[in-house]
Amino acid sequence: MSGRITIVGTGPGNPAQTTPEAHAAIAAATQFFGYGPYLDRLELRSDQHRIASDNREELSRAKAALKAAAAGNVVCVVSGGDPGVFAMAAAVCEAIEEGPPSWRNLDLDIVPGVTAMLAVAAKAGAPLGHDFCAISLSDNLKPWTVIEQRLRAVAGAGLVIALYNPISKARPWQLGTAFAILREVLPWSTPVIFGRAAGRNDEAIAVVTLAEAKAEQADMATCVIIGSPETRIIERPGRAPIVYSPRATGGPQ
Amino acid sequence: MSGRITIVGTGPGNPAQTTPEAHAAIAAATQFFGYGPYLDRLELRSDQHRIASDNREELSRAKAALKAAAAGNVVCVVSGGDPGVFAMAAAVCEAIEEGPPSWRNLDLDIVPGVTAMLAVAAKAGAPLGHDFCAISLSDNLKPWTVIEQRLRAVAGAGLVIALYNPISKARPWQLGTAFAILREVLPWSTPVIFGRAAGRNDEAIAVVTLAEAKAEQADMATCVIIGSPETRIIERPGRAPIVYSPRATGGPQ
């Protein structure tokens, strides 16, 4: 029997931001693998089974999901946001490459979603309106020296930076250090956006300058966007400011 | 009367990838501003009016939309993909900053969508599975020297690169030059994905190496993804290969 595995992105957490394609993939599956809080968002039928695992167990979760698919089940691996951005799609691909040849013969589908930086940017204005990058600040899977090199390279080249995984209990100092590095490269007036739970009931969007930015303003559910030297803030009386990066650029300073 | 303007991302062009939030925003509006082919995708009611304009007229379109909103209309500005990624959100913000103070008092909402690189990546595997960037290859609004510096910086730093606006009739040589620059920095075996119309009926996804990549493989509707030195290809008998960037990295070469 040839099984099937679909990796689904449910978007930032607001049901109105989950695509019909994702809903259809969820309706078609019978076994659901994912981080518990992401699985909690699904409304499953009695014939649909959830296999929750911890945040840090991506590779073992991917292997368990592939094994279930290889046994003939219709399996859904659930990510928040987009599954291809610091999420489960890469872990499943890794498991396929390392696993038995039969896993390469499974029907594999990946359903994209709205990733956190897009939802946060939409709430703030258009901070990703020109060239930008997405960097994970987690040094669990890469050396901190690489992260530091990348921050200097992209800030120096004039790209807006979206930071994923900015902080956690196990990684308390990295975000503060990242701000310190960026203050060496960028104007201290550069806008910084802390976007937490964008689109959800507990949404919180804060706009500060790089001079003011503090690591304590972020938690695990936050995406941090740091402007380029050309990113601008439009003040609006009685309303939240708009942050945007102009389409035209004169180049890095 | 206080008007309202909503900038909506309809996703890559497959209706199943348009969010319920986008559909609701479209249903609520009465005037639609956008590039003709994007407006053509909407199923409008008889009380909903379309004001189509050319691809290159983003700022004048933004101003016309703001003017209509300021006159009390419920206005929708339509982008394909996500409106914050090389699309209309930045143009509207620019127009607000340059325009009359009353435009800052309009209700402004931005509805995110699945941007092209996410849809293309989902079809290919997980090429954006680790740090990545999005760069517009259009030199209409920035000097080519800046684009060249950015390509060298991000490739040298080990980021995967998604190229938007890779080629057009008016910009025929830039993509070939970009490949030549990247061949100076990256291994020639680096995977390159040409993703055209991902998720639509006329979808075409091609995976080649950087050595083989040719500008003629792209058109205006193509998003080109160039791997990092760590991006891998999994061959599958009788199926399309999987391209992915591992979650762990040893750092740039």
Side-chain angles (χ1 to χ4, degrees):
Chain A
M1 190 185 335
S2 175
R4 168 173 285 274
I5 183 165
T6 306
I7 314 171
V8 173
T10 58
N14 174 345
Q17 292 177 338
T18 304
T19 66
E21 187 183 34
H23 280 297
I26 290 164
T30 56
Q31 294 199 9
F32 294 80
F33 291 79
Y35 177 46
Y38 294 152
L39 295 184
D40 290 345
R41 293 183 193 162
L42 308 180
E43 293 179 14
L44 298 181
R45 303 183 305 261
S46 59
D47 65 318
Q48 294 180 309
H49 306 289
R50 44 177 284 162
I51 300 99
S53 46
D54 191 66
N55 208 3
R56 298 217 195 159
E57 298 176 1
E58 293 190 332
L59 193 60
S60 57
R61 180 192 304 147
K63 287 177 180 170
L66 285 159
K67 205 169 168 181
N73 294 292
V74 182
V75 168
C76 183
V77 178
V78 179
S79 280
D82 179 88
V85 177
F86 307 118
M88 285 303 295
V92 171
C93 292
E94 272 174 62
I96 290 172
E97 189 171 26
E98 292 174 10
S102 61
W103 286 2
R104 300 186 185 207
N105 200 33
L106 291 169
D107 285 327
L108 169 70
D109 287 297
I110 301 171
V111 175
V114 174
T115 183
M117 65 180 166
L118 301 184
V120 169
K123 290 291 174 179
L128 307 179
H130 202 61
D131 300 338
F132 65 94
C133 64
I135 291 181
S136 170
L137 217 59
S138 169
D139 54 357
N140 290 337
L141 291 166
K142 64 185 164 189
W144 177 256
T145 50
V146 168
I147 298 173
E148 184 167 334
Q149 283 165 14
R150 289 182 180 173
L151 290 174
R152 289 185 191 279
V154 295
L159 274 70
V160 174
I161 303 168
L163 294 179
Y164 282 71
N165 307 316
I167 200 163
S168 73
K169 282 181 187 167
R171 295 181 292 101
W173 58 265
Q174 286 81 345
L175 181 58
T177 304
F179 287 142
I181 291 165
L182 293 172
R183 279 193 282 262
E184 295 176 19
V185 184
L186 292 169
W188 288 30
S189 59
T190 302
V192 175
I193 302 160
F194 292 91
R196 190 181 180 287
R200 303 211 297 268
N201 290 336
D202 51 344
E203 169 183 300
I205 309 288
V207 177
V208 300
T209 65
L210 182 56
E212 299 160 337
K214 288 187 178 61
E216 302 80 61
Q217 294 176 267
D219 67 8
M220 272 181 63
T222 305
C223 180
V224 180
I225 298 178
I226 298 128
S228 79
E230 310 199 60
T231 303
R232 302 178 62 79
I233 296 181
I234 307 174
E235 297 293 348
R236 296 188 299 172
R239 292 174 183 265
I242 295 172
V243 185
Y244 83 100
S245 301
R247 298 164 306 140
T249 184
Q253 314 295 297
Chain B
M1 190 183 333
S2 176
R4 168 173 285 276
I5 183 165
T6 306
I7 313 171
V8 173
T10 58
N14 174 345
Q17 293 178 337
T18 304
T19 67
E21 187 182 35
H23 280 297
I26 290 164
T30 56
Q31 293 199 9
F32 293 80
F33 290 80
Y35 177 45
Y38 295 151
L39 296 184
D40 290 344
R41 292 183 194 161
L42 309 179
E43 293 179 14
L44 299 180
R45 304 183 305 263
S46 60
D47 65 318
Q48 294 179 309
H49 306 288
R50 46 177 283 164
I51 301 98
S53 46
D54 191 66
N55 209 2
R56 299 216 195 159
E57 298 175 2
E58 293 189 332
L59 193 60
S60 58
R61 180 193 303 147
K63 288 178 181 169
L66 285 160
K67 204 168 168 184
N73 295 292
V74 182
V75 168
C76 183
V77 178
V78 179
S79 280
D82 179 87
V85 177
F86 308 116
M88 284 304 296
V92 171
C93 292
E94 273 175 62
I96 290 172
E97 190 172 26
E98 292 175 9
S102 61
W103 287 2
R104 300 186 185 208
N105 200 33
L106 292 169
D107 285 327
L108 169 70
D109 288 296
I110 300 171
V111 175
V114 174
T115 183
M117 66 180 165
L118 302 182
V120 169
K123 290 292 174 178
L128 307 178
H130 202 61
D131 299 338
F132 65 93
C133 65
I135 292 181
S136 170
L137 216 58
S138 170
D139 55 357
N140 290 337
L141 291 165
K142 63 186 164 188
W144 176 256
T145 51
V146 168
I147 298 173
E148 183 167 334
Q149 284 166 13
R150 290 183 179 171
L151 291 173
R152 290 185 190 279
V154 295
L159 274 69
V160 174
I161 303 167
L163 293 179
Y164 282 71
N165 306 317
I167 200 164
S168 73
K169 281 182 187 166
R171 295 181 293 99
W173 57 264
Q174 286 82 345
L175 181 58
T177 305
F179 287 142
I181 291 165
L182 293 171
R183 279 192 283 262
E184 295 176 18
V185 184
L186 292 169
W188 288 31
S189 57
T190 302
V192 174
I193 302 160
F194 292 89
R196 190 179 182 287
R200 302 211 296 270
N201 290 336
D202 51 343
E203 168 182 302
I205 309 288
V207 177
V208 300
T209 64
L210 182 55
E212 298 160 339
K214 287 187 179 59
E216 302 79 61
Q217 292 176 268
D219 66 9
M220 274 181 63
T222 305
C223 181
V224 181
I225 299 177
I226 297 128
S228 78
E230 311 198 60
T231 302
R232 302 178 62 78
I233 296 180
I234 307 174
E235 297 293 346
R236 297 189 298 172
R239 292 175 183 266
I242 294 172
V243 185
Y244 83 100
S245 301
R247 299 164 308 139
T249 182
Q253 314 295 297

